[in-house]
Amino acid sequence: MFDTLYIDAHLATMAPGKPYGAIERGAVGVKDGKIAFVGHAADLPVDKAALAHELVRCDGAWITPGLIDCHTHLIFGGNRAREFEMRLQGKSYEEIARAGGGIVSTVAATRAATKEALIESAAQRLAGMTREGLTTIEIKSGYGLDLETEIKMLEAAGELGPRANVRVKRTFLGLHALPPEFREDRAAYVALVAEVMIPAIAAAGLADAADAFCEHIGFTPEEVDYVFAAARENGLELKLHAEQLSNQHGAALAARAKALSADHLEYLDDAGIEAMARAGTVAVLLPGAFYFLRETQLPPIAKLRAAGVSMAVAGDCNPGTSPIASPLAALNMACTLFRLTPEEALAGATREAARALGLQDEIGTLERGKSADLAIWNISHPSELSYWLGAPLLKQRVFKGQIVQGT
Ligand code: DI6
Ligand code: FE
């Protein structure tokens, strides 16, 4: 006896094998929040109503795994729309920075915000995402750059989950930028991150992973290595912003460190691809940042594909380089800008995104035993999820077996 049985549906299970792992005229049975049956409706007894406490007829809709955004900076104070306006009027990045703009302005606004205000503003953005079928999100800290504000951000991220009916994975991004008060002593800041912040945050159970911005305007591979060692000692998983603006060989570093993922990768070279393929490091593609920055250097998609590197697609929602709160927009841009197939894009926001979070045994496909996180769509083929922009495609959202959106 199922708690809930979904019928009159087609399934894009995203399980490997055939395109989209598709099962036409399928059914999903849910028991205790987990998927207990996934298959052809015809393989179940004829009297469907007798099989479940609740029978949900989907009117020919498609069911996919709930979408997963595996790379966001969802929590921050203020926004940078005025800076966007100034840039469009021809002001340079330096002028804007001198006028108090850039990442430092977001740090100031985040430090000044209460935890409740951070939760409120992030909840609005998250509402845009859950309307598009999101059931799991990764949220990074990194706009506090002091222990107190980093903790405030991570606590805010944790409180968002139950409030919005989503699963939240939290990542500590201490090496995001050098805070203004350490401008003259970067070694002291890196040491603070490794020796004080990571142990405190890990001990409090406030993060699942640590991340860093490995970039000429961010942190060097040596600094990242040092912080990664501390993160590993404290039981955190690793992720890395690598090769976004230049080639620092960060992806190879991430692979060596057994990081879950290396993210961005526009400037990734062949050695980096090979290292990732060998280590099984997931490539997290962030087409929203590519779009908003009007970047022209494409990540080496064809080579990643040929090397068999797992490719996830994420939104990178942040106020500076990707003010986008739409997982479906990320799918669309992954196809239009990066030439992923719609199937690769959807896999990138489900199965492969789960892998980028180390959650591949729990979520990411419609398979027996996984969490019953479902998105049910008013579409006639799953390619539509990468095709439309701004269309209200979601019919229902199911989180851990409960219908939490739609009726
Ligand atoms: N890469 C990015 O694109 C953002 N952070 C990062 O490490 C930019 C963050 C910002 O400008 O606020
Ligand atoms: Fe990012």
Side-chain angles (χ1 to χ4, degrees):
M1 192 81 176
F2 303 121
D3 296 329
T4 315
L5 180 63
Y6 296 85
I7 59 166
D8 297 342
H10 306 298
L11 317 179
T13 69
M14 303 315 289
K18 53 187 164 179
Y20 296 99
I23 299 175
E24 300 207 6
R25 289 171 294 284
V28 178
V30 175
K31 177 86 183 155
D32 298 330
K34 298 248 162 65
I35 296 173
F37 174 85
V38 51
H40 291 281
D43 294 341
L44 289 170
V46 177
D47 184 5
K48 305 284 189 285
L51 296 174
H53 295 294
E54 188 189 9
L55 189 63
V56 178
R57 296 180 191 282
C58 297
D59 306 320
W62 278 81
I63 305 180
T64 69
L67 300 189
I68 301 166
D69 195 334
C70 67
H71 179 143
T72 83
H73 308 251
L74 192 75
I75 305 265
F76 52 84
N79 68 66
R80 308 232 288 274
R82 291 286 295 131
E83 184 178 313
F84 178 52
E85 201 167 53
M86 284 162 73
R87 280 168 67 169
L88 288 168
Q89 285 161 359
K91 292 272 191 307
S92 73
Y93 192 79
E94 284 70 30
E95 286 173 295
I96 291 164
R98 257 185 278 116
I103 195 164
V104 170
S105 73
T106 300
V107 171
T110 305
R111 288 178 177 179
T114 63
K115 184 167 81 178
E116 288 65 36
L118 292 177
I119 293 171
E120 283 305 323
S121 69
Q124 278 190 31
R125 294 184 279 275
L126 187 54
M129 300 174 161
T130 53
R131 268 201 298 276
E132 294 187 347
L134 185 102
T135 50
T136 297
I137 187 168
E138 184 258 17
I139 302 176
K140 300 177 195 296
S141 67
Y143 288 119
L145 310 181
D146 61 36
L147 182 58
E148 184 191 345
T149 314
E150 291 290 305
I151 287 176
K152 180 173 71 180
M153 290 185 75
L154 292 165
E155 286 179 349
E159 288 181 36
L160 270 176
R163 184 178 149 142
N165 288 308
V166 296
R167 182 183 291 92
V168 173
K169 293 294 269 188
R170 294 179 289 186
T171 301
F172 170 59
L173 178 53
L175 291 194
H176 193 193
L178 196 60
E181 61 274 22
F182 281 89
R183 200 168 289 143
E184 305 306 323
D185 195 356
R186 52 185 300 126
Y189 180 66
V190 176
L192 180 72
V193 168
E195 289 160 28
V196 178
M197 293 196 197
I198 284 182
I201 283 165
L206 286 169
D208 307 291
D211 190 351
F213 187 33
C214 186
E215 194 54 68
H216 59 82
I217 60 163
F219 294 88
T220 66
E222 291 70 30
E223 290 166 337
V224 172
D225 254 333
Y226 173 49
V227 165
F228 269 11
R232 224 181 348 232
E233 259 171 53
N234 284 275
L236 299 179
E237 299 279 7
L238 305 172
K239 305 177 76 67
L240 188 64
H241 284 68
E243 274 75 272
Q244 179 184 7
L245 307 169
S246 64
N247 183 7
Q248 305 286 321
H249 310 287
L253 186 168
R256 265 198 314 279
K258 295 265 172 284
L260 290 172
S261 69
D263 304 32
H264 285 289
L265 305 174
E266 276 79 348
Y267 291 82
L268 180 63
D269 62 15
D270 290 350
I273 295 171
E274 200 194 306
M276 289 178 72
R278 222 175 318 117
T281 316
V282 178
V284 176
L285 306 171
L286 303 162
F290 177 95
Y291 160 82
F292 193 73
L293 293 173
R294 308 181 79 225
E295 176 61 68
T296 54
Q297 170 84 24
L298 282 160
I301 302 296
K303 287 182 173 179
L304 286 165
R305 189 187 283 130
V309 175
S310 156
M311 293 188 284
V313 174
D316 201 15
C317 181
N318 79 72
T321 64
S322 189
I324 302 171
S326 166
L328 294 183
L331 296 193
N332 178 275
M333 290 179 192
C335 297
T336 54
L337 301 175
F338 291 174
R339 313 314 284 171
L340 263 65
T341 67
E343 186 194 354
E344 285 174 326
L346 183 58
T350 54
R351 186 182 69 225
E352 306 309 322
R355 202 186 299 282
L357 297 176
L359 294 177
Q360 61 273 20
D361 296 332
E362 203 180 320
I363 55 172
T365 61
L366 304 182
E367 289 179 290
R368 217 187 126 123
K370 286 196 178 176
S371 182
D373 296 1
L374 318 176
I376 307 179
W377 308 92
N378 289 314
I379 55 175
S380 54
H381 189 265
S383 56
E384 283 187 59
L385 298 175
S386 298
Y387 166 77
W388 298 104
L389 265 183
L393 304 180
L394 189 78
K395 178 180 169 70
Q396 281 175 319
R397 190 170 71 91
V398 178
F399 180 58
K400 296 185 178 174
Q402 301 297 319
I403 298 174
V404 290
Q405 216 141 338
T407 50

